[in-house]
Amino acid sequence: MAIILDGKKLRDKILEDLHIKISSYDKKPKLVVILVGDDAASQIYVGNKQKCAQKIGITSEVINYPSDTEEKIIIDKINELNNDGSVHAILVQLPLPEHISKENIINAISPQKDVDGFTPYNFGKLFSGEVPCVYPCTPKGILLLLDEYGIDIEGKHAVVVGRSNIVGRPMSQMLLNRNATVTVCHSYTKNLAQITKTADILISAVGKNIIKGEMLKSDCVVVDVGIFKDESGKLRGDVDFDSSSKIASYISPVPGGVGPMTIASLMLNTVELFEKTL
Ligand code: NAP
């Protein structure tokens, strides 16, 4: 039976350490979150981020805009925050309403305050094997979790399923930068099971229940990034836990695996950006 990669436990440890560190500073890190529209899931995510920040001593502010706000108004606000010395980290909650260009908004954020690591500058640094201002939160959290359990990455075959800018792409680069041999799969990949069967480390970020135990190599490490609700409203991951946990040596659960690590990484990134200004 696989060992559980416990993201909640590691998150709590990281947040406790950050709390102690932040209390030792006279100045406090400040995170500003921009939320456009009234998407229910986004409101919950932003609320959770704000609660977590406040709990550990990060000053956090949420700026709400109605869904019909013009792109320029948001870009002007980002420019104002870029020039505000009391703000260390800026996050624009995605998705944005359709009339707003996600690229234009992300491009407006100063790389030094880009807490998600999504600006072309930070992405470019990551993809050229250099050190960005911060690493994207979800892949960063996954590597912290693997490191916590002493899982070797160097020389391993890592298969990443999904190639989004939020998870799959930066994850594959971060694994490559750690000397894994990386295969990236997506919706056009043929014979997915043949590829996943060769993975020492399998990271699935799709949002559909597509990974079953029979698709895994014995004793592999499985990280389940997916979160979605099935027909009965139950929270699910990409990976069939029952069959997969019998084959894998380590597996992350949903919930309680990658999700808590993403929020821990956001807090770590906020503090890292703050510390660069001291
Ligand atoms: P996304 O932008 O929708 O990307 C999904 C990826 O899955 C795409 O690259 C897509 O391929 C690929 N895909 C779709 N069907 C596939 C199939 N049958 N076989 C192989 N690949 C397939 O999603 P995302 O933002 O990366 O998020 C993925 C999941 O992770 C979602 O459930 C999301 O809620 C969850 N998530 C969790 C956290 C967390 O903190 N736990 C953070 C972020 C995301 P194409 O590129 O070819 O379309």
Side-chain angles (χ1 to χ4, degrees), residues 186-238:
H186 44 75
S187 68
Y188 293 83
T189 298
K190 295 192 170 78
N191 302 322
L192 181 66
Q194 258 177 35
I195 299 169
T196 57
K197 267 253 179 217
T198 65
D200 300 309
I201 300 173
L202 175 70
I203 301 193
S204 185
V206 173
K208 290 180 201 161
N209 191 231
I210 56 161
I211 307 293
K212 315 258 182 289
E214 70 251 27
M215 297 166 70
L216 303 175
K217 174 167 141 182
S218 177
D219 288 336
C220 67
V221 174
V222 178
V223 177
D224 191 351
V225 187
I227 329 172
F228 61 95
K229 283 189 178 157
D230 66 14
E231 311 80 56
S232 64
K234 193 172 174 271
L235 210 58
R236 299 284 304 267
D238 290 357

Side-chain angles (χ1 to χ4, degrees), residues 39-108:
D39 179 69
S42 292
Q43 281 174 345
I44 294 172
Y45 294 145
V46 168
N48 288 342
K49 288 168 186 172
Q50 199 181 20
K51 259 193 254 158
C52 184
Q54 283 165 352
K55 223 164 114 185
I56 62 168
I58 291 175
T59 307
S60 105
E61 188 188 338
V62 179
I63 304 176
N64 283 285
Y65 287 103
S67 55
D68 59 356
T69 305
E70 272 178 49
E71 183 177 299
K72 184 177 179 312
I73 294 190
I74 297 161
I75 291 180
D76 287 348
K77 174 51 81 178
I78 292 173
N79 285 331
E80 187 190 313
L81 297 170
N82 284 341
N83 293 316
D84 179 344
S86 74
V87 175
H88 307 99
I90 302 170
L91 184 154
V92 177
Q93 183 66 39
L94 301 175
L96 289 164
E98 265 178 28
H99 68 281
I100 297 175
S101 151
K102 185 176 82 180
E103 287 72 28
N104 291 348
I105 295 294
I106 290 175
N107 287 354

